[in-house]
Amino acid sequence: MKKIALIGSTGSIGTQTLDVLRSFPEEFRLEGLAAGSNIELFARQVQEFRPKKASVATKELADRIRPQLPAGVELYYGDQGLVEVAAGTDADTVVTAIVGSAGLPATLAAIEEGKHIALANKETLVTAGHLVTELARRKGVSLLPVDSEHSAIFQCLNGEHPQEVSQITLTASGGSFRDLTREQLRDVTVEDALKHPNWAMGAKITIDSATMVNKGLEVIEAHWLFGLPFEQIGVLLHPESIIHSFVEYRDGSVIAQLGTPDMRVPIQYALTYPHRWTSAAKRLSLAEVGKLHFREMDFDRFPCLRLAYECGKIGGTATSVYNAANEVAVARFLQGEIPFLQIETIIETALAKHEVQSEPDLDTIREADRWARALAEKL
């Protein structure tokens, strides 16, 4: 039986991870569970799975939910609660499904304890890729990608020699506004932005998909996961989201991973690797799909992706600032404070004002993150 801890259980990836665990009750045991503020759903999850440790965002929420939890469940809260759930149980694999840079300390703590990481939190590698990958190497810990694109690349690399890779290409749906011009983007609403054509995702990731920040974060993450320079990482618009990503080798061969857009497939693969268990996901019929379409990426149309490449090549704290400024800008857009196009303006302004620190330690990363958030709130 595999023992799992899950941080970010009430979000899109978290709930789909629990769907996978439900499909194999004899194969998985949930040791730890952490969420933010959706305590109604979280209480039901804890009652169903009865983990040894659970955590919510604040002490106030913990006090409210405590009477609803089964006897024997240890309840924590805040950042320390995330660390307890990720690193303080007998779990052998930790699914990091929390959104944002809040997942970094818990991930590092879990790796320190020798736990394998099923990584759905892009920001962990975006903000501290050099720290996370080096610690994982020293501890002999696997970083198993959960994002559909990185899972696809991971599968396409299986059994191949890394030095024979010519290029990897991440596909992008283009998000809610892929067919709109820059002029048409000026008046889009939050409701418009949240209508993703292909994937069922949380609000923040859906907005990131529309700005192409999500793909930018994935490019930076791919650099750390697969050890490739940014010149060997491409992005291609693929509206159907059937080819999740592909690898081109130096002999001209291209290996791609295809499937219906269902996040339970890459989640399950990360949890069962190196095996493939039967999945309830809808099977892909290429005859039904009929045609697949592709378009070159336009960096003028999607400047946030261009900025991600620039930050990745600069390295250091540039990627932390990119991520932090975006998190604040997206939150402000969702709250109706700023128009859609101001998200990219805030990111670019924060980067222009930031003095990059190379090879930052964790404290330096946190300070860059704090600085970028404070600035993004004012812009």
Side-chain angles (χ1 to χ4, degrees):
M1 177 173 284
K2 290 194 173 186
K3 297 179 180 180
I4 307 296
L6 169 60
I7 60 173
S9 67
T10 57
S12 174
I13 297 297
T15 54
Q16 291 179 87
T17 298
L18 294 180
D19 283 344
V20 172
L21 301 191
R22 289 187 187 97
S23 299
F24 305 99
E26 303 300 319
E27 305 293 340
F28 292 114
R29 159 70 189 165
L30 190 66
E31 296 286 318
L33 202 59
S37 57
N38 187 351
I39 59 173
E40 290 78 14
L41 174 56
F42 186 65
R44 295 196 298 272
Q45 292 174 341
V46 174
Q47 290 162 4
E48 177 183 357
F49 288 93
R50 297 178 178 265
K52 293 177 181 177
K53 294 186 177 183
S55 179
V56 290
T58 66
K59 183 180 186 301
E60 291 73 21
L61 291 172
D63 291 339
R64 283 172 54 190
I65 199 176
R66 197 180 306 275
Q68 305 175 51
L69 302 188
V73 176
E74 298 177 30
L75 183 60
Y76 300 87
Y77 61 87
D79 292 342
Q80 187 56 39
L82 290 176
V83 171
E84 283 288 346
V85 168
T89 72
D90 293 332
D92 47 65
T93 299
V94 178
V95 181
T96 60
I98 191 171
V99 174
S101 58
L104 175 58
T107 303
L108 288 172
I111 295 172
E112 191 69 50
E113 291 300 317
K115 301 180 187 304
H116 301 294
I117 305 298
L119 189 64
N121 176 268
K122 300 177 182 65
E123 295 83 0
T124 293
L125 290 183
V126 168
T127 59
H130 62 298
L131 298 179
V132 174
T133 53
E134 172 58 21
L135 183 60
R137 185 194 63 79
R138 285 196 288 109
K139 293 292 182 176
V141 164
S142 298
L143 298 176
L144 300 166
V146 167
D147 274 345
S148 61
E149 295 84 357
H150 300 103
S151 177
I153 297 297
F154 183 69
Q155 293 177 61
C156 293
L157 291 171
N158 272 346
E160 302 290 342
H161 296 288
Q163 67 271 22
E164 295 177 356
V165 172
S166 176
Q167 176 165 305
I168 67 172
T169 298
L170 308 177
T171 55
S173 70
S176 313
F177 305 138
R178 62 194 178 199
D179 296 319
L180 299 188
T181 65
R182 296 283 299 171
E183 184 62 32
Q184 290 171 320
L185 290 174
R186 295 185 185 281
D187 300 317
V188 297
T189 66
V190 172
E191 291 73 23
D192 294 332
L194 291 175
K195 296 174 183 175
H196 196 285
N198 299 353
W199 296 94
M201 304 183 293
K204 194 265 184 184
I205 298 177
T206 304
I207 302 303
D208 283 350
S209 181
T211 61
M212 209 60 74
V213 165
N214 193 49
K215 204 56 52 178
L217 297 175
E218 288 175 4
V219 166
I220 298 169
E221 185 181 5
H223 164 73
W224 292 110
L225 278 173
F226 307 116
L228 291 172
F230 288 93
E231 291 76 12
Q232 287 181 263
I233 305 171
V235 177
L236 191 67
L237 272 173
H238 171 44
E240 291 85 4
S241 296
I242 296 297
I243 294 180
H244 298 303
S245 284
F246 56 90
V247 176
E248 180 183 351
Y249 290 90
R250 63 188 184 187
D251 65 351
S253 297
V254 176
I255 299 178
Q257 190 265 335
L258 287 71
T260 55
D262 187 333
M263 280 305 302
R264 292 173 298 177
V265 175
I267 292 169
Q268 180 174 308
Y269 186 67
L271 294 180
T272 63
Y273 178 79
H275 303 290
R276 295 181 184 272
W277 296 356
T278 301
S279 168
K282 180 183 177 182
R283 294 299 188 264
L284 172 65
S285 169
L286 289 176
E288 288 182 12
V289 173
K291 294 182 180 180
L292 299 176
H293 299 85
F294 305 92
R295 301 204 302 266
E296 291 286 351
M297 184 55 61
D298 184 344
F299 288 100
D300 292 326
R301 170 63 179 78
F302 296 107
C304 289
L305 181 58
R306 169 182 55 80
L307 290 171
Y309 272 98
E310 292 173 1
C311 288
K313 292 176 182 178
I314 293 169
T317 52
T319 53
S320 299
V321 169
Y322 176 88
N323 175 70
N326 176 67
E327 286 189 20
V328 172
V330 170
R332 292 180 64 189
F333 172 68
L334 288 170
Q335 293 161 9
E337 293 182 20
I338 61 172
F340 179 76
L341 287 178
Q342 194 171 336
I343 295 174
E344 61 194 43
T345 301
I346 288 174
I347 298 171
E348 190 156 22
T349 302
L351 289 169
K353 292 179 177 291
H354 178 60
E355 186 174 332
V356 176
Q357 303 294 310
S358 300
E359 295 295 323
D361 59 17
L362 191 55
D363 287 341
T364 303
I365 291 169
R366 286 170 171 161
E367 175 56 27
D369 182 276
R370 183 206 60 76
W371 174 89
R373 290 174 191 277
L375 178 64
E377 288 285 3
K378 300 174 185 175
L379 294 174

